Amino acid sequence: MFKLNSKFKPTGDQPQAIEKLTAGLKSGKKHQTLLGVTGSGKTFTMANVIANIGKPTLVISHNKTLAAQLYQEFREFFPHNSVHYFVSYYDYYQPEAYIPHTDTYIEKDAKINEEIDRLRHAATQALLTRDDVIIVASVSCIYNLGSPEDYQKLSLHLFEGQKISPKEIIRSLLRLQYNQDIELKRGAFRKGVNEIEIVPPSGDKVTKIKLSDSKIVKIMVAESFDQDALLEKELSYERIIETRIFPAKYWVATDDRIDFAIANIKAELQQHLVKLKKQDLYLEAGRLKQRTEEDIRMIKRAGYCHGIENYSRHLDFREAGEPPFALLDFFKTKGDFLTIIDESHLTVPQLRGMFHGDHSRKSTLIEYGFRLPSALDNRPLRFPEFQKSVNQVVYLSATPKEYELKKSGKNGLTEQLVRPTGLLDPTIEIRPTHNQIVHLIDEIKRRVVAGQRILVTTLTKRMAEDLSEHLAEKGIKVNYIHSEIKTLERLEIIHDLRLGNYDVIVGVNLLREGLDLPEVSLIAILDADKEGFLRNATTLIQTMGRAARHLDGHVIMYADKMTGSMENAIRETERRRKIQEEYNAKHGITPASIQKAVKRSDLSRQGGTKAKISRWYSYDPIDGKEDLEKLPVAHRIEILTKQMERAVKELRFEYALYLREEVLKLKKAASS
């Protein structure tokens, strides 16, 4: 069912990992863990496993950017299969909230990205129409989505020879939340003479229905993945016998069901108003009555309202507290499916924590009369509900945590420690903190002479800045990274490190960048003996792994005592290195540093431009920035907003976030 496309063959210990994971899945094993070191090709291994198992597969990542990278990789591995991308569809999102102590109501502020919404619909439709489906998703896949049964049941089935009038088709399309337009757009239809053209929410095709005497005489379909193609190009149509038009939105219902849902919403409203008034909360009661009745009027008139998801319990006919429908329920329509949790040491905690933050915020809204209690059922799945929804799971991580290891058991752990290039985990040295900076500078200069790069990790932002300034005074090309440095700037700094514009980066937590820096040969960890999140065994192993792409990879820990975390991290790194050395010796492999072209990240560029960083070593200003700053504020906001929208469409989320910050600054300045 899945046809893997790759010019590479499994190598190193990939074959044994593929064999063991495949055998475990075929034997019915529920949980397995792949402990794969950085650069060992975990994604390629799992692509082979998917091809062997042949089940629809859900891959969950802990952020959008990594999910996008995995999506691209799986598309390349499976070009002939149905690979999709499912993440939160907001360019930006400010949830509705109320802060009691300042009496501040924050209205929901969100901008839906049309391209991501298209990709979401393409994913769910693929699950309802195909078996060879791989969906790469963020943790948003456990959030309330709507009933897959209703989504499919309410779809419009059309076939050649069917007796149906144009008015009936249009009425059905409007009920499915399609808009009538003179232009072909996603989730819209256009009526011509004896024909109706429809673009589904997935936006991947145009369906043309030709009618005569209230009868369908011809159905034609044309592929179109680009909105510009709809407007500018002649479409190439093929004749088909039948088609199914899926709803344009996830929360749709028949008129009868809407009437029933409204009756239940009214009943809940009256019940809760009585409760609020008994507590003398008349202001809250009045506010709730006004807001809810307005929503009811909109649902009656259009079948939809702003924030309709807060009434999803009534629309889905669920009991209070019953789990909401999520993407996992669309997978359940396939029967059995495989779940892969990437970077499980980060993703599992996210899956655990999503419910509680959402519940706390909505409880406050309900208490103060902004929402009905049923809004609590518009929520992510609780972690136990998620566990019940999945069947077989494979966890991927270089540092799996206790949860994954316990679930998998001793026999469910597969190690992938050998890199295709033969590279070893780095050597480790412990140095006292006395005169550590003097020693560090000597080490830096020695590596720079050899054309190598260095990463230095500190515990605080202030220390990162101060150390960078000190190194710069010593003539070292250096910059720093921490959470206050904008994403775009961080990516530019990393890019310039690879180019040699810098030799050293000092940072607090350099793991968040997803660094792939083959030029880095030395990792220096200051205050390695200060136990905590940034110096626990998992973080230390992950940090040291950043030097595992260079032949001379080396780690220096500056510490005055040996902590348990240091001991565990060193022991594990040395264990992996020994296995790698033995493998290389047995197979006659000579380790070689990874050679990788220096390319500017798509996340860090917009038409070849780069951010201006004014610390010790500045970049050229953004092309045309001086001209942009001469424009009226409203015009600048418009230009940057368009750039933001384009960036999100291209899945460059971090750059879009940077542009959003600039737009918000301009809007704030304009209003003050």
Side-chain angles (χ1 to χ4, degrees):
M1 183 169 64
F2 289 99
K3 186 178 180 181
L4 179 62
N5 177 63
S6 177
K7 62 182 180 181
F8 302 107
K9 299 292 183 183
T11 185
D13 52 5
Q14 287 175 337
Q16 64 86 22
I18 294 166
E19 183 180 352
K20 185 176 179 181
L21 290 167
T22 300
L25 290 168
K26 287 185 175 180
S27 68
K29 195 178 288 291
K30 294 286 187 181
H31 300 269
Q32 295 185 87
T33 296
L34 175 62
L35 192 162
V37 297
T38 304
S40 64
K42 294 189 289 293
T43 305
F44 182 54
T45 293
M46 293 313 303
N48 278 272
V49 171
I50 291 170
N52 291 342
I53 295 300
K55 293 180 181 179
T57 301
L58 170 64
V59 183
I60 307 177
S61 176
H62 65 96
N63 70 48
K64 284 183 178 181
T65 302
L66 291 179
Q69 293 174 7
L70 287 169
Y71 165 65
Q72 295 295 343
E73 288 182 55
F74 278 114
R75 282 190 69 186
E76 291 171 7
F77 287 139
F78 298 103
H80 306 296
N81 298 113
S82 190
V83 181
H84 295 274
Y85 181 67
F86 188 99
V87 300
S88 171
Y89 56 16
Y90 296 113
D91 283 354
Y92 59 88
Y93 180 65
Q94 170 60 61
E96 182 184 29
Y98 179 68
I99 305 171
H101 69 271
T102 59
D103 190 27
T104 304
Y105 172 70
I106 303 170
E107 191 172 358
K108 178 180 173 181
D109 183 17
K111 181 175 178 58
I112 291 176
N113 176 260
E114 294 296 324
E115 176 64 11
I116 296 178
D117 190 42
R118 181 189 76 76
L119 292 169
R120 284 165 63 93
H121 278 279
T124 51
Q125 290 178 21
L127 282 170
L128 298 177
T129 58
R130 298 183 62 160
D131 294 321
D132 59 334
V133 181
I134 300 169
I135 295 178
V136 182
S138 66
V139 293
S140 63
C141 67
I142 68 169
Y143 213 95
N144 188 15
L145 190 61
S147 166
E149 183 181 350
D150 289 348
Y151 188 76
Q152 187 165 30
K153 194 180 287 182
L154 290 169
S155 61
L156 179 61
H157 183 213
L158 300 173
F159 54 90
E160 197 172 292
Q162 182 179 2
K163 291 185 177 181
I164 187 171
S165 70
K167 285 185 178 179
E168 288 178 281
I169 294 176
I170 290 171
R171 195 181 307 117
S172 295
L173 290 171
L174 291 171
R175 188 179 73 244
L176 296 179
Q177 299 301 313
Y178 282 81
N179 296 315
Q180 187 168 358
D181 208 316
I182 59 172
E183 291 184 348
L184 288 177
K185 296 179 180 177
R186 191 179 67 86
F189 68 92
R190 178 171 68 187
K191 186 181 183 305
V193 179
N194 296 322
E195 69 176 31
I196 298 171
E197 294 169 286
I198 308 161
V199 183
S202 57
D204 57 351
K205 61 184 178 182
V206 179
T207 302
K208 184 182 289 189
I209 312 296
K210 288 189 172 290
L211 299 106
S212 177
D213 298 325
S214 295
K215 182 180 178 181
I216 296 176
V217 294
K218 189 185 290 185
I219 302 175
M220 295 182 292
V221 65
E223 288 190 350
S224 178
F225 293 91
D226 187 351
Q227 180 66 39
D228 293 335
L230 296 176
L231 302 173
E232 300 171 6
K233 300 177 184 177
E234 284 292 325
L235 298 174
S236 179
Y237 284 94
E238 292 183 4
R239 190 169 181 175
I240 59 174
I241 301 300
E242 62 179 346
T243 188
R244 185 172 294 277
I245 309 298
F246 286 96
K249 300 184 185 297
Y250 286 110
W251 283 281
V252 291
T254 62
D255 292 342
D256 290 344
R257 291 191 65 173
I258 285 176
D259 289 342
F260 197 73
I262 287 174
N264 286 337
I265 294 169
K266 285 181 176 179
E268 185 189 12
L269 173 62
Q270 294 306 315
Q271 185 180 4
H272 197 57
L273 288 176
V274 170
K275 182 180 177 180
L276 291 173
K277 289 173 180 178
K278 281 184 179 179
Q279 298 172 342
D280 294 330
L281 299 174
Y282 292 98
L283 173 64
E284 289 79 359
R287 179 162 53 210
L288 181 65
K289 185 174 186 294
Q290 181 181 358
R291 288 168 61 91
T292 307
E293 288 179 346
E294 178 58 31
D295 286 344
I296 289 172
R297 283 193 288 273
M298 282 297 298
I299 294 171
K300 273 185 175 178
R301 187 164 61 246
Y304 204 77
C305 76
H306 183 67
I308 192 171
E309 63 274 10
N310 288 294
Y311 303 105
S312 60
R313 185 224 289 175
H314 298 297
L315 291 165
D316 296 336
F317 298 139
R318 289 183 282 124
E319 297 292 330
E322 192 176 346
F325 294 106
L327 181 65
L328 293 164
D329 292 281
F330 283 79
F331 267 98
K332 288 178 186 177
T333 64
K334 312 310 297 179
D336 194 14
F337 64 96
L338 173 65
T339 302
I340 298 171
I341 301 182
D342 189 50
E343 300 292 351
S344 59
H345 63 285
L346 295 173
T347 306
V348 169
Q350 280 197 17
L351 292 168
R352 284 182 182 275
M354 286 185 69
F355 169 80
H356 300 288
D358 182 86
H359 188 271
S360 175
R361 177 177 58 81
K362 288 196 176 117
S363 295
T364 304
L365 287 167
I366 293 164
E367 182 181 353
Y368 289 91
F370 291 95
R371 288 292 172 194
L372 289 171
S374 57
L376 285 174
D377 292 308
N378 168 41
R379 59 175 176 84
L381 295 173
R382 294 181 174 92
F383 192 63
E385 293 168 344
F386 167 78
Q387 291 174 304
K388 284 184 180 179
S389 296
V390 296
N391 182 22
Q392 292 183 297
V393 184
V394 178
Y395 308 93
L396 309 186
S397 177
T399 52
K401 290 196 171 180
E402 184 181 356
Y403 172 83
E404 302 98 288
L405 296 175
K406 187 176 179 180
K407 280 287 187 181
S408 302
K410 188 176 181 180
N411 295 329
L413 175 65
T414 299
E415 293 190 325
Q416 188 170 299
L417 307 180
V418 177
R419 299 178 177 88
T421 58
L423 277 172
L424 308 174
D425 273 35
T427 53
I428 302 170
E429 175 184 1
I430 300 175
R431 300 280 307 186
T433 60
H434 180 67
N435 287 332
Q436 61 181 352
I437 302 303
V438 175
H439 180 268
L440 174 62
I441 292 172
D442 288 341
E443 285 291 321
I444 289 172
K445 289 181 176 179
R446 188 167 65 85
R447 299 273 170 170
V448 169
V449 170
Q452 300 169 8
R453 312 283 190 269
I454 301 93
L455 300 180
V456 183
T457 67
T458 67
L459 282 177
T460 67
K461 299 172 187 177
R462 178 65 181 271
M463 188 175 179
E465 294 175 8
D466 290 349
L467 179 58
S468 297
E469 187 172 5
H470 180 69
L471 294 177
E473 289 171 353
K474 298 296 182 181
I476 294 169
K477 295 187 294 183
V478 61
N479 215 326
Y480 64 82
I481 290 177
H482 55 58
S483 60
E484 293 183 13
I485 307 304
K486 292 176 181 176
T487 297
L488 181 64
E489 293 185 3
R490 294 200 301 266
L491 295 172
E492 290 289 356
I493 293 168
I494 292 167
H495 177 72
D496 270 26
L497 178 80
R498 295 203 63 201
L499 287 174
N501 295 333
Y502 302 124
D503 293 316
V504 182
I505 289 180
V506 183
V508 177
N509 184 5
L510 294 171
L511 300 178
R512 62 180 295 187
E513 312 305 326
L515 300 180
D516 183 5
L517 303 172
E519 297 82 7
V520 171
S521 69
L522 175 64
I523 304 287
I525 304 174
L526 302 183
D527 297 307
D529 53 1
K530 301 295 191 294
E531 283 276 17
F533 168 69
L534 293 174
R535 297 295 182 265
N536 62 31
T538 296
T539 305
L540 289 173
I541 292 170
Q542 292 277 353
T543 302
M544 292 189 293
R546 303 300 174 187
R549 294 180 177 270
H550 199 284
L551 187 61
D552 298 323
H554 185 65
V555 175
I556 301 176
M557 293 185 181
Y558 292 98
D560 293 322
K561 62 181 180 182
M562 179 70 76
T563 66
S565 293
M566 289 172 60
E567 190 175 350
N568 290 336
I570 293 169
R571 187 189 304 115
E572 176 61 15
T573 302
E574 289 178 345
R575 182 186 74 87
R576 297 177 183 184
R577 185 179 172 91
K578 184 180 178 183
I579 292 172
Q580 294 156 358
E581 287 175 330
E582 290 174 351
Y583 184 91
N584 289 350
K586 183 178 178 180
H587 295 86
I589 296 172
T590 302
S593 293
I594 293 173
Q595 302 296 319
K596 186 177 180 181
V598 183
K599 298 178 181 178
R600 186 179 302 282
S601 169
D602 287 340
L603 296 172
S604 68
R605 68 186 173 194
Q606 181 76 10
T609 65
K610 39 182 170 176
K612 185 176 181 180
I613 302 174
S614 49
R615 286 196 283 281
W616 302 285
Y617 299 90
S618 296
Y619 296 103
D620 297 330
I622 294 177
D623 297 342
K625 187 170 181 180
E626 291 83 356
D627 295 332
L628 183 66
E629 290 176 347
K630 294 176 183 177
L631 297 173
V633 172
H635 196 181
R636 288 158 62 188
I637 290 173
E638 183 183 355
I639 291 171
L640 291 174
T641 300
K642 287 181 179 177
Q643 290 180 349
M644 179 182 71
E645 291 170 350
R646 186 167 62 199
V648 178
K649 185 176 181 179
E650 295 169 357
L651 308 183
R652 299 184 293 141
F653 303 112
E654 298 195 38
Y655 184 68
L657 185 60
Y658 163 77
L659 291 173
R660 181 204 170 202
E661 290 173 358
E662 295 299 307
V663 170
L664 291 175
K665 284 180 187 176
L666 289 172
K667 288 182 176 179
K668 187 176 180 180
S671 62
S672 60

